[in-house]
Amino acid sequence: MRNLIQALKTSKRLMISPTLAKAYVESVSDLKINVDTKASDVKEILAMMFGEQPKMEIVGKTAIIPIKGVIGRGLSDIEKMCNAVDVNDISSNLHEATHNPSVEKIVFDVDSPGGNTDGLEELAEKIYHCSKFTEAFSENGVHSAAYYLASQAKRFSVTKSAEVGSVGIFMAFPDVSEAYAMEGVKMEVIQSGKYKAIGLEGTSLSDDQRAYLQNDVDEGHADFKNAVKRRRTFVKDEDMEGQSFGAKKAAEKGFVTGIVNSISDVIISDYA
């Protein structure tokens, strides 16, 4: 996903497990597709690698909205087929379900390592203020940006094998200045303003630049924790330092409201 790859090389804030982000980028990079590959073949290849794209469905009076894969905004169709999900699509599904008179309950079916922060806060606000009963569900992983969204539902149920959390933000800056030096290259930067050209390839961050970026990350982390605590009121700050928890521990710590056997239990449950 171009947005994730770009963010890993720049000063973009990310809400995703670094190890899962690396694994995802590597899996996408391994794709063997060229300009001569037929569109139908591309779709078949991606479906074999990542599965079919999940769509919103309505079961009885419940709308099930998928949040599956790496989260981003403004994604291409190819990116969505590569196990990524667009916040704009989630928002459109939420709007459709909210205004559908036959829908009484909205369930977010989540399995995601997190992703970019673009549009995330706005979508979280829509989930939090949704006029209909909302519930998040997962039988797999709900990390970082995905937990930011799932935590805003009125109820959050997971199966025993789920893993939840990773509340935190990071930025990545590959410092290749030593590699440049070994090649006999020294990067000279003419800049106006000490924060200009932050992270330019071949340079290292100054102390002022590092402090500036750390403050940005800290502010984002504080907003993340506050968003979680307004709905999941029992979660403690000490448990939102980037760690993840299995279902039982997540329930004990207030990250989720209950443990169920499957999504079927969520669909048939009362709206309380």
Side-chain angles (χ1 to χ4, degrees):
M1 187 170 71
R2 68 187 190 282
N3 292 346
L4 177 60
I5 294 172
Q6 181 183 24
L8 286 168
K9 296 180 179 179
T10 64
S11 59
K12 292 282 291 184
R13 294 191 298 187
L14 283 168
M15 292 185 186
I16 188 172
S17 162
T19 55
L20 295 176
K22 181 176 182 292
Y24 176 75
V25 170
E26 288 177 349
S27 69
V28 173
S29 299
D30 287 340
L31 286 173
K32 306 300 182 184
I33 297 174
N34 55 53
V35 293
D36 296 322
T37 306
K38 295 180 180 179
S40 58
D41 292 337
V42 170
K43 187 173 182 179
E44 183 177 343
I45 291 170
L46 296 180
M48 289 174 61
M49 289 187 64
F50 301 107
E52 296 291 339
Q53 281 182 272
K55 305 291 184 182
M56 182 178 76
E57 58 179 321
I58 297 177
V59 179
K61 297 180 179 181
T62 300
I64 303 172
I65 298 176
I67 303 179
K68 303 290 185 76
V70 175
I71 296 170
R73 183 173 68 177
L75 305 180
S76 67
D77 289 339
I78 291 291
E79 287 175 309
K80 294 175 188 178
M81 286 188 279
C82 292
N83 195 33
V85 58
D86 197 315
V87 293
N88 291 335
D89 292 338
I90 302 170
S91 181
S92 295
N93 286 338
L94 179 59
H95 182 272
E96 180 182 340
T98 301
H99 291 83
N100 186 332
S102 68
V103 171
E104 296 182 358
K105 179 179 180 179
I106 299 171
V107 172
F108 299 96
D109 186 6
V110 189
D111 179 12
S112 169
N116 290 350
T117 60
D118 296 338
L120 196 70
E121 185 176 353
E122 295 89 335
L123 177 56
E125 287 294 315
K126 292 178 182 179
I127 295 174
Y128 181 80
H129 293 289
C130 182
S131 59
K132 294 187 177 180
F133 187 87
T134 55
E135 181 165 2
F137 164 81
S138 182
E139 58 185 4
N140 292 303
V142 187
H143 301 280
S144 211
Y147 185 71
Y148 193 115
L149 298 177
S151 68
Q152 301 308 293
K154 294 182 175 69
R155 192 162 60 193
F156 188 1
S157 302
V158 297
T159 62
K160 293 179 180 179
S161 59
E163 187 175 72
V164 176
S166 191
V167 177
I169 299 176
F170 77 94
M171 293 180 182
F173 277 100
D175 187 339
V176 296
S177 56
E178 289 189 15
Y180 269 54
M182 291 177 65
E183 294 292 328
V185 179
K186 181 180 179 181
M187 182 67 75
E188 293 283 0
V189 182
I190 311 302
Q191 64 192 82
S192 59
K194 59 185 176 182
Y195 301 116
K196 198 68 176 177
I198 288 180
L200 182 66
E201 186 173 328
T203 67
S204 297
L205 295 174
S206 69
D207 290 340
D208 285 337
Q209 290 173 339
R210 189 175 291 104
Y212 169 77
L213 295 173
Q214 184 64 58
N215 182 66
D216 184 39
V217 168
D218 290 342
E219 285 185 357
H221 190 199
D223 291 341
F224 192 166
K225 291 188 288 186
N226 288 334
V228 170
K229 289 190 291 186
R230 69 176 173 177
R231 184 71 84 185
R232 311 268 82 89
T233 56
F234 296 107
V235 177
K236 297 179 180 178
D237 282 359
E238 64 199 54
D239 292 324
M240 292 190 285
E241 292 296 328
Q243 63 272 59
S244 294
F245 305 98
K248 182 179 179 181
K249 186 66 69 175
E252 291 173 357
K253 292 179 175 294
F255 279 82
V256 301
T257 52
I259 298 176
V260 297
N261 291 319
S262 70
I263 194 171
S264 297
D265 296 336
V266 172
I267 293 172
I268 64 174
S269 64
D270 294 329
Y271 323 142

